[in-house]
Amino acid sequence: MSVNGLDVFDRTLHTTNAWLKELSEELDIDRHAAWKVLSVVLHKLRDRLPVDLSAHLGSQLPLLIRGVYYDQYQPAKQPNRCSSLDEFVDDVGAWLTDAHSIDPRRAIEAVCRVLSRHLAPGQVEKVRANLPKALRPLWSAPADTPPRRRPAKTAQAAAAMASGI
């Protein structure tokens, strides 16, 4: 039985909590700071991608994370030009000033690793290849970390989707 009344909410809460736990452990920060890091880095990556690819990436994210990804989205201003790696890191850092003393480069790399573990490898490579060349070194998934697959849908969730609920 669903805790929140809808399996889709339970799944997105579970997945979001897993991602936040990974970021918290990797960066040695609390969950609130991990949410801030995830939000900021996703926004800054999104704003450097072509609109169609940005939308496709958004469609691959868990529902709750997708919501923060699209927060304050302005597709008409995309892609935002970035002339250097340092400029991008500084931009992320400017948005993280209230979230402890988090190294923005480590934060970016940690979010990219989480995305690499949870999204399809082809999607990750497509996004990485479409980032400005200066930013691509930030997103290199470790070879020993296989991408995770989304959890299988429960029979109840599959039936609900099939019936149009």
Side-chain angles (χ1 to χ4, degrees):
M1 171 141 204
S2 170
V3 174
N4 293 298
L6 288 173
D7 287 336
V8 69
F9 291 157
D10 292 335
R11 279 192 313 273
T12 195
L13 286 172
H14 175 76
T15 304
T16 300
N17 281 322
W19 288 29
L20 293 177
K21 183 177 184 222
E22 289 178 35
L23 284 172
S24 294
E25 289 173 355
E26 185 166 341
L27 297 171
D28 194 28
I29 56 177
D30 64 31
R31 291 168 36 81
H32 296 284
W35 179 252
K36 177 75 174 193
V37 165
L38 183 62
S39 303
V40 167
V41 174
L42 284 175
H43 284 175
K44 299 307 175 184
L45 288 171
R46 172 201 72 195
D47 292 345
R48 271 41 178 216
L49 294 170
V51 174
D52 58 337
L53 185 57
S54 179
H56 188 68
L57 174 59
S59 74
Q60 305 300 305
L61 299 173
L63 186 61
L64 187 57
I65 296 172
R66 188 180 316 154
V68 78
Y69 177 78
Y70 283 116
D71 185 41
Q72 300 179 23
Y73 183 49
Q74 297 179 354
K77 294 184 177 182
Q78 282 193 234
N80 185 339
R81 299 294 173 217
C82 186
S83 60
S84 73
L85 177 69
D86 290 338
E87 179 185 336
F88 183 76
V89 171
D90 289 346
D91 192 20
V92 169
W95 286 88
L96 292 178
T97 55
D98 62 335
H100 303 283
S101 56
I102 299 169
D103 176 22
R105 184 176 179 124
R106 281 190 62 225
I108 295 163
E109 291 169 341
V111 169
C112 290
R113 280 190 293 276
V114 168
L115 292 171
S116 292
R117 285 191 294 266
H118 292 279
L119 301 180
Q123 178 65 36
V124 168
E125 189 48 43
K126 184 183 284 187
V127 170
R128 188 178 176 280
N130 280 279
L131 286 172
K133 285 182 184 181
L135 305 184
R136 293 178 197 163
L138 291 171
W139 195 331
S140 56
D144 62 343
T145 307
R148 295 183 183 173
R149 300 289 175 218
R150 291 185 181 186
K153 294 180 180 143
T154 64
Q156 183 181 16
M161 291 178 88
S163 67
I165 296 178

